[in-house]
Amino acid sequence: MASDVHSSTNSLHSSKPEQEPIPRGLGLITSVGPGLVLAMSFLGTGDLVSSSVSGASYGYALLWTLVLSLIARTFIISSIAKYTLMNKYGDTQILDGFARLSPALPGIMAAVVLIAGFITQATFVLAASTGLHELTGGEWGGAWGRFFCALIIVALTLTLVMLRKQFTVLEYFARFASVAMIAAFVYALVQIGTFDVSGFFQGLAFAIPEEQNTSAFAPIVIASATIGTIAGNMPNLLYSGFMRDKGWVGPKYRKLQQFDLIVGMAPLLIINLLFWIVAAEFRSGNPGFSISDEYDLSHMLTVAVGPVGPFLLWMCIFFAAMTSFPPQSRGFAQLAINGINHTFPSMRQYLGRDEENPAFRWIQAIVFIIVPLVSTIPGAPDLISLNIVGTAISTVLSLPIIVVCILLLTSRKKHMQTYAVNGIWQTVLLVILGGIAIIIGFQIAMQIPSMFATAFG
């Protein structure tokens, strides 16, 4: 009898459960969401800055980094979702899985989240305050104008995070901003009137161009920042929480989750390609042009689109950053407190209900909302430099750990349901991505002193 029960249990573990069907019609619109929400969060200033800087500095030569990054991001996020839906333990947060690899990992990741999340939030509040300041004239307040705008943004964010339906209004703004952003860059491309198809496809070759005098950063730095920004690092881990909030818990949601992720990631490819193409074509028609700060982006759109160009740019930057700043303050705080709850015995009572830990609100408000204000004081690095340097540091700290841990978790029967263990090609791809992450991390680490000198010089 015991052997029959054991055999039955093994059969259940080895056969994939029936999947929730993908709805049709209006049900499709309301059923999907986490992937699109995550993509909207990703579609902040990082994609705009990295793609535009790469295109303006090196034309299509580094385009392969965009494609590689989006493939890597989709695969890594899908692997994170796979673990949280199909693990043997009922874990719904990815750091719960990390804790099964080593008790020290959640604490390490909590420290990484606090550092990388703070840098990310500093970039977002700087972008939002810059956009708001320029939209309101750009002259008032002198050198402290952006800081005063940042105070308004922080006050608004603190108010929003106290509400139950915190981000409903911001989601509508973000959809509008995304449409405006696409329209602005399509119009800019039409106005430029050229598209180097041959150069576009040649840019898909895995090549690093020679350093140009028109760029403040070396091509390997820009390539690494593009891969880090678009492939993602810490924000990738937020997907588990978005799925849980949607009620997607358990293996039956895997098919729906995969469809949802594709729906969310596809617009990123289109939008990033538009950013890149416009910058590359503008550079081709304007030799010697470079993007060293956000105001060069404004100048580029002024020449390409006309007087309305800067308004569209600052509007898009403001809404894209504001869509990311409030929700990611919650997501980063949730990840950090989850790691802290695993690390300290006195906090383990909050595992599974991390937000009930009294420290959660303090970390969210202070580390991820208020302290990032320092990026807006006079003398702080500009938006371009902060984005590139910040992303590089975040990538060094987090991407190799994330990829290696996901590989170990999803490739072992010890952790996954039998039917969900990675196949050979999935394991090989994760090994390759892990190798790339380690190599990029080493190369970035070697460049960090020069990056700091460029950003703070």
Side-chain angles (χ1 to χ4, degrees):
M1 180 66 69
S3 61
D4 291 340
V5 172
H6 182 70
S7 176
S8 176
T9 301
N10 283 339
S11 177
L12 287 173
H13 283 296
S14 61
S15 58
K16 189 173 181 179
E18 291 188 12
Q19 297 291 293
E20 285 287 317
I22 298 174
R24 298 179 179 180
L26 291 177
L28 179 62
I29 298 174
T30 57
S31 65
V32 299
L36 187 57
V37 170
L38 190 67
M40 297 286 280
S41 180
F42 283 148
L43 189 58
T45 57
D47 288 22
L48 172 62
V49 168
S50 292
S51 295
S52 298
V53 169
S54 298
S57 299
Y58 294 98
Y60 292 113
L62 293 172
L63 186 63
W64 62 269
T65 64
L66 170 62
V67 178
L68 175 64
S69 299
L70 287 171
I71 292 174
R73 167 182 278 179
T74 302
F75 187 71
I76 290 171
I77 295 173
S78 180
S79 297
I80 291 171
K82 183 179 186 178
Y83 177 78
T84 52
L85 290 175
M86 297 179 164
N87 66 83
K88 286 184 175 180
Y89 313 105
D91 295 341
T92 58
Q93 280 282 16
I94 191 61
L95 292 192
D96 295 337
F98 284 19
R100 299 185 186 282
L101 296 176
S102 169
L105 274 176
I108 294 172
M109 290 305 297
V112 170
V113 169
L114 290 171
I115 296 170
F118 161 74
I119 295 172
T120 301
Q121 291 297 89
T123 303
F124 283 136
V125 74
L126 175 59
S129 62
T130 300
L132 181 59
H133 190 235
E134 294 297 325
L135 287 172
T136 54
E139 300 294 335
W140 64 275
W144 289 90
R146 291 194 299 186
F147 178 77
F148 295 139
C149 288
L151 288 177
I152 296 172
I153 290 165
V154 165
L156 177 62
T157 301
L158 289 172
T159 302
L160 285 171
V161 298
M162 297 299 174
L163 302 176
R164 286 189 175 183
K165 297 182 178 180
Q166 315 171 4
F167 312 122
T168 302
V169 175
L170 288 175
E171 286 173 357
Y172 283 107
F173 282 152
R175 291 185 179 94
F176 172 75
S178 298
V179 172
M181 193 178 298
I182 293 173
F185 278 79
V186 168
Y187 181 64
L189 187 58
V190 171
Q191 289 295 101
I192 292 172
T194 61
F195 177 34
D196 184 1
V197 178
S198 175
F200 178 87
F201 284 103
Q202 287 177 6
L204 297 177
F206 292 87
I208 296 291
E210 294 182 3
E211 188 168 352
Q212 302 292 322
N213 293 330
T214 55
S215 176
F217 294 93
I220 186 60
V221 174
I222 293 180
S224 300
T226 302
I227 293 171
T229 299
I230 300 173
N233 30 67
M234 296 311 308
N236 284 346
L237 302 182
L238 303 182
Y239 192 54
S240 298
F242 289 151
M243 288 195 304
R244 188 176 61 177
D245 292 342
K246 187 74 174 178
W248 293 357
V249 177
K252 68 178 181 178
Y253 290 101
R254 176 61 171 170
K255 181 179 179 180
L256 187 57
Q257 169 269 309
Q258 288 177 309
F259 176 78
D260 169 76
L261 185 59
I262 293 172
V263 169
M265 294 296 113
L268 282 179
L269 176 60
I270 297 171
I271 294 171
N272 276 288
L273 282 175
L274 281 172
F275 294 163
W276 199 301
I277 292 169
V278 167
E281 293 297 331
F282 183 82
R283 173 183 181 269
S284 177
N286 297 268
F289 175 78
S290 65
I291 294 178
S292 59
D293 59 31
E294 57 270 28
Y295 299 101
D296 289 331
L297 283 175
S298 175
H299 173 68
M300 182 182 76
L301 282 187
T302 299
V303 176
V305 180
V308 73
F311 171 80
L312 291 175
L313 175 70
W314 300 125
M315 178 189 64
C316 292
I317 283 180
F318 172 73
F319 284 123
M322 278 302 294
T323 304
S324 301
F325 185 66
Q328 292 212 63
S329 71
R330 173 187 176 277
F332 286 131
Q334 190 178 50
L335 279 173
I337 202 67
N338 182 249
I340 290 170
N341 289 341
H342 273 286
T343 303
F344 296 99
S346 61
M347 299 289 188
R348 287 176 187 163
Q349 59 180 309
Y350 296 109
L351 287 174
R353 47 191 185 92
D354 299 304
E355 293 182 18
E356 295 180 19
N357 188 326
F360 169 79
R361 290 292 182 189
W362 288 103
I363 291 175
Q364 181 182 13
I366 295 175
V367 179
F368 298 121
I369 297 178
I370 296 174
V371 178
L373 276 169
V374 299
S375 67
T376 64
I377 63 176
D382 60 74
L383 180 58
I384 302 291
S385 296
L386 182 62
N387 177 78
I388 290 178
V389 175
T391 300
I393 293 173
S394 298
T395 302
V396 169
L397 292 175
S398 61
L399 191 56
I401 298 175
I402 291 172
V403 175
V404 172
C405 288
I406 293 301
L407 168 65
L408 294 176
L409 286 172
T410 57
S411 301
R412 294 178 174 179
K413 294 181 180 180
K414 175 182 178 181
H415 304 297
M416 301 296 295
Q417 301 288 358
T418 304
Y419 57 80
V421 176
N422 285 342
I424 294 177
W425 73 270
Q426 293 166 314
T427 301
V428 169
L429 185 53
L430 277 173
V431 169
I432 293 172
L433 290 175
I436 292 173
I438 292 171
I439 292 170
I440 288 175
F442 177 77
Q443 290 177 327
I444 293 176
M446 296 298 98
Q447 293 283 342
I448 283 178
S450 63
M451 283 191 284
F452 267 93
T454 300
F456 293 94

